[in-house]
Amino acid sequence: MKKELNRNYSELTEFILLGFRTSPDVQIFLFLFFLLIYMVIVVGNISMIIVIKIDSRLHTPMYFFLRNLSYLDLCYSTVIAPKTLTTFLSTDKKISYNGCATQFFFFALCVGTEGFLLAVMAYDRFSAICSPFLYTVHMSQQACIRLVFGSYICGGINSMIQTGFTFSLRFCGENRLDHFFCDVPALIKISCADTSVNEIVLYILSALIIITTTTVIVVSYAYILSTVLKIPSTHGRGKTFSTCSSHITVVSLFYGTVFFMYAQPGAISSPQKSKIIAVFYTFIIPMLNPLIYSLRNREVKHAVKRTLLRKLSFH
């Protein structure tokens, strides 16, 4: 029996992504639906990156971080979307073992980095509102680069640990993943090895990231709220706090999904709930982020108008 397990383990070179198991007609509808969302993600985030890059008025720390957020959203949705779209129309739903590991590594890297970047953006708003005279010192160009680089380092460490632990598991013949991409819960479920250590590592890493980043965000906004309430005029309070509204909305979406997933343990064990939550991570949030910042931020809207007028004037 042991020889048979080892033989199956050595021969496992691919996984089958079961995705959304529905009728062929529904598969076509889902393909068109997710394709539309992905197109909005690509256009929205690339537009945000370009507008911030070419408009000199947006060359500030806040928009430097926003540009990196758009880049992350574009990257991790692109890691997932193309393979997901092909599984809707193709009977071949296979992904190689190495392809699965690569997909998960970059997904975990981008999502983990985004969590830390959102905390950095909260700290940026704290520095701008609570210490305006020292803001240029606290948020110098070098400081901003270090904060973004640090976010990537933390996201990379998380990704390497999770990928290393997950793909060191044994898979003895069963290679059907009840998911639309390679994610830890689905991989753990089909492993024939003891996964208790992997599950503990997953929860510890997730808890550390969530607790660390949310603490920075909550403390930053507690100080921001305290400072804003001291402003005598209602107009002044509204104008000051409006610079945070887009970030608060994005944070609420991102961490609301995280808390929903980990506040309900059944969501992890239920493949259908895991897929729905994963759709928010991989498609909905990357689509909404540029829309939120472009619709709720006056400076971004003005920058988009200036860019469009400049292009029209050239024609």
Side-chain angles (χ1 to χ4, degrees), residues 281-312:
Y281 273 118
T282 55
F283 286 93
I284 305 300
I285 291 176
M287 177 187 70
L288 291 178
N289 282 355
L291 295 176
I292 290 168
Y293 272 100
S294 60
L295 293 175
R296 301 193 62 171
N297 191 298
R298 187 177 299 174
E299 290 181 347
V300 172
K301 285 191 286 188
H302 288 168
V304 171
K305 289 178 182 178
R306 286 194 296 270
T307 303
L308 292 174
L309 289 172
R310 194 179 299 122
K311 286 186 176 182
L312 290 172

Side-chain angles (χ1 to χ4, degrees), residues 68-115:
N68 278 275
L69 180 68
S70 293
Y71 176 72
L72 284 170
D73 285 338
L74 180 63
C75 285
Y76 81 75
S77 60
T78 301
V79 168
I80 306 299
K83 186 62 182 177
T84 301
L85 291 170
T86 57
T87 59
F88 285 127
L89 300 181
S90 173
T91 55
D92 183 12
K93 302 179 184 295
K94 297 175 182 177
I95 183 170
S96 68
Y97 184 92
N98 290 335
C100 188
T102 302
Q103 184 188 60
F104 174 73
F105 174 83
F106 283 106
F107 171 73
L109 168 65
C110 292
V111 172
T113 302
E114 181 156 329

Side-chain angles (χ1 to χ4, degrees), residues 145-165:
I145 292 171
R146 284 196 295 267
L147 286 168
V148 170
F149 184 70
S151 297
Y152 276 96
I153 292 294
C154 293
I157 292 171
N158 165 65
S159 181
M160 285 189 288
I161 293 173
Q162 289 209 39
T163 305
F165 270 90

Side-chain angles (χ1 to χ4, degrees), residues 30-165:
L30 289 174
F31 169 80
L32 295 172
F33 177 69
F34 280 97
L35 177 61
L36 177 62
I37 292 176
Y38 182 57
M39 289 172 64
V40 174
I41 291 171
V42 173
V43 172
N45 284 288
I46 289 180
S47 298
M48 187 68 71
I49 292 168
I50 292 172
V51 167
I52 293 172
K53 179 70 175 177
I54 65 177
D55 195 309
S56 59
R57 300 183 191 184
L58 300 183
H59 292 176
T60 63
M62 182 173 74
Y63 294 105
F64 172 73
F65 297 133
L66 177 56
R67 191 174 70 186
N68 278 275
L69 180 68
S70 293
Y71 176 72
L72 284 170
D73 285 338
L74 180 63
C75 285
Y76 81 75
S77 60
T78 301
V79 168
I80 306 299
K83 186 62 182 177
T84 301
L85 291 170
T86 57
T87 59
F88 285 127
L89 300 181
S90 173
T91 55
D92 183 12
K93 302 179 184 295
K94 297 175 182 177
I95 183 170
S96 68
Y97 184 92
N98 290 335
C100 188
T102 302
Q103 184 188 60
F104 174 73
F105 174 83
F106 283 106
F107 171 73
L109 168 65
C110 292
V111 172
T113 302
E114 181 156 329
F116 287 103
L117 185 62
L118 288 173
V120 167
M121 292 172 77
Y123 174 72
D124 170 68
R125 291 298 82 209
F126 159 77
S127 298
I129 294 171
C130 300
S131 304
F133 298 111
L134 296 174
Y135 181 65
T136 54
V137 177
H138 292 161
M139 286 296 167
S140 64
Q141 185 177 8
Q142 289 184 342
C144 291
I145 292 171
R146 284 196 295 267
L147 286 168
V148 170
F149 184 70
S151 297
Y152 276 96
I153 292 294
C154 293
I157 292 171
N158 165 65
S159 181
M160 285 189 288
I161 293 173
Q162 289 209 39
T163 305
F165 270 90

Side-chain angles (χ1 to χ4, degrees), residues 12 14 26 49-50 57 59 70 77 97 114 138 167 177 184 192 199 207 210 212 243 251-252 259 312:
L12 183 61
E14 61 188 18
V26 176
I49 292 168
I50 292 172
R57 300 183 191 184
H59 292 176
S70 293
S77 60
Y97 184 92
E114 181 156 329
H138 292 161
F167 288 89
L177 291 175
V184 172
C192 60
E199 292 175 27
I210 292 169
T212 302
T243 62
V251 166
S252 300
F259 285 132
L312 290 172

